[in-house]
Structures are given as structure tokens and as C-alpha cells.
Amino acid sequence: AQSVAQPEDQVNVAEGNPLTVKCTYSVSGNPYLFWYVQYPNRGLQFLLKYITGDNLVKGSYGFEAEFNKSQTSFHLKKPSALVSDSALYFCAVRDSGSARQLTFGSGTQLTVLP
Amino acid sequence: EAGVTQSPTHLIKTRGQQATLRCSPISGHTSVYWYQQALGLGLQFLLWYDEGEERNRGNFPPRFSGRQFPNYSSELNVNALELEDSALYLCASSTLAGGLFFGSGTQLSVL
């Protein structure tokens, strides 16, 4: 079985400061990892993914994530937060096998304070 | 390129009724996934369709069902609606690499 943990329900950061949203995962095989963002009353928007290759993945809107196999983590980062980054962020995982549905974490509400 | 489209945007039903939700995937995507996002419960996987067949389903009762049509669009049917079925229902389509692209969802309210 695959699972995702987002240990923080809420992250607050001041505008201009770096932000980190944490994610750890568990899969039986090689992981495919994803980050999505959700704005109020909207669907999820894809930010970035890790399939293979470089452990540092760059995505949309200046976000990046670092895959750490030994710590089974895939933390989302941004060097300088914007107020408009305030949203709900979801980490998701699937293994590289045939069961292609994603398992999502419970979400982390990011608030960037002006 | 059009994204994943879902209809209706909002749906209001009463207990015991049936609800039908519709989804059109991105052109070229053969897989459609349904997720339920209930308040405070995150995203729960409902159903996965690929090439017209149900490939997997989540831990939901049989009154949640669906189908995928030859043009890869999909329907989600919820029978005998209960109050706790009130949620945002999200449809997604995917490429082989597994990245999901989501629609804006159908907000189902059961009164």
C-alpha cells in the first residue's frame, strides 16, 4: 500500500521569506511523486513531479522540490514567498507499477503574511 | 488545448435521490480518475477508468459507480444519496507517466 504524510496542517511564512512544505511517503516500489496546489473552490493545479533523475525538481511559479530517498521525503520549497502563494498544497505518490491512481496527503494550508 | 471539464459545477439533491456527474478528459488522455474531497477529509480515491474499463476503485460503497464512454468521457453516479456524500467531486485525466490533471470539480450538496 502507498501512503503520504504531510505533518503540518498549517504553515505560516512572511512574504519574501523562504518556505518549506513537508511531505514523506511510503510505497512498495519506486515512487512517482507530485505536488499540487488548490485555490478556494477550485480543482487541483499541477506544480511539479519527480519520476526519475535529478533529485531537485523545478516546477511552476518558482516552486521546487527535493527528493530524498533515504528519508523518503519530497519537501516543497520556494526561495521567496509571495502573498499569492497562499493556498492548500497537496503531496501525492504512486508507485511505478500498474496501479496508476495517486494517493494524496491530507494537505497543508500555506498562508503568506504581507 | 482544453483542460479537464466537469459538469455541473454545482448540484443540489435531497437524501435518497441519485446524482450524475460528468467529466471530459484532456484530448488524448485515456484514463479518468474520480476523487471525493469532503470537508476536512482530504482527497479520497473513488474510481479509475482506462480504455472504457474500471481498473480500480477505492473504499466506497457500491452505490458509487460510474462508466467511461468510447470517447473517454466519464460519468460518476451516486445512488441513494446520504448527507455525508456532500463534497467536492474531482475528476482527473492522465498520461502514462501518471501525472494527473484535474477539473474544477462538481460541488454536490445533499440536503
Side-chain angles (χ1 to χ4, degrees):
Chain A
Q2 53 198 38
S3 65
V4 176
Q6 292 182 244
E8 301 157 318
D9 292 335
Q10 175 84 38
V11 170
N12 296 327
V13 63
E15 187 175 28
N17 282 2
L19 69 86
T20 299
V21 182
K22 296 179 180 177
C23 171
T24 58
Y25 67 89
S26 174
V27 296
S28 55
N30 293 320
Y32 290 179
L33 294 154
F34 304 83
W35 276 101
Y36 288 84
V37 60
Q38 186 178 34
Y39 296 98
N41 302 313
R42 301 293 299 275
L44 274 69
Q45 295 179 29
F46 170 79
L47 277 179
L48 51 81
K49 69 179 179 183
Y50 171 84
I51 303 296
T52 186
D54 195 350
N55 289 345
L56 185 63
V57 179
K58 294 188 182 297
S60 307
Y61 312 119
F63 284 94
E64 58 188 28
E66 186 168 11
F67 171 63
N68 188 316
K69 187 173 183 178
S70 62
Q71 296 185 5
T72 61
S73 67
F74 189 57
H75 301 331
L76 181 70
K77 300 182 180 184
K78 187 173 182 180
S80 179
L82 301 172
V83 171
S84 57
D85 293 330
S86 298
L88 186 58
Y89 290 80
F90 290 95
C91 181
V93 69
R94 58 161 278 217
D95 69 28
S96 54
S98 59
R100 287 175 11 206
Q101 75 270 11
L102 298 185
T103 297
F104 285 84
S106 55
T108 298
Q109 180 65 49
L110 172 67
T111 301
V112 181
L113 305 167
Chain B
E1 177 185 275
V4 177
T5 57
Q6 291 187 245
S7 63
T9 306
H10 294 87
L11 190 57
I12 300 175
K13 295 286 186 179
T14 57
R15 285 179 60 189
Q17 285 188 313
Q18 179 197 34
T20 298
L21 289 63
R22 297 180 176 83
C23 172
S24 293
I26 292 172
S27 177
H29 289 189
T30 62
S31 279
V32 170
Y33 304 78
W34 289 95
Y35 285 83
Q36 182 196 65
Q37 187 178 19
L39 203 59
L41 291 180
L43 279 86
Q44 305 297 318
F45 167 69
L46 266 166
L47 290 159
W48 167 30
Y49 292 95
D50 184 60
E51 298 284 359
E53 293 192 12
E54 183 180 301
R55 300 295 183 178
N56 204 0
R57 67 179 290 131
N59 188 26
F60 281 84
R63 57 191 186 83
F64 287 84
S65 65
R67 54 181 172 166
Q68 186 178 33
F69 299 98
N71 66 353
Y72 303 118
S73 67
S74 177
E75 265 182 11
L76 173 69
N77 295 294
V78 188
N79 293 320
L81 284 165
E82 300 179 2
L83 296 177
E84 53 265 34
D85 296 333
S86 294
L88 180 67
Y89 289 83
L90 293 167
C91 172
S93 67
S94 79
T95 63
L96 271 177
L100 299 189
F101 296 86
F102 284 83
S104 296
T106 294
Q107 183 66 54
L108 173 63
S109 299
V110 183
L111 307 177

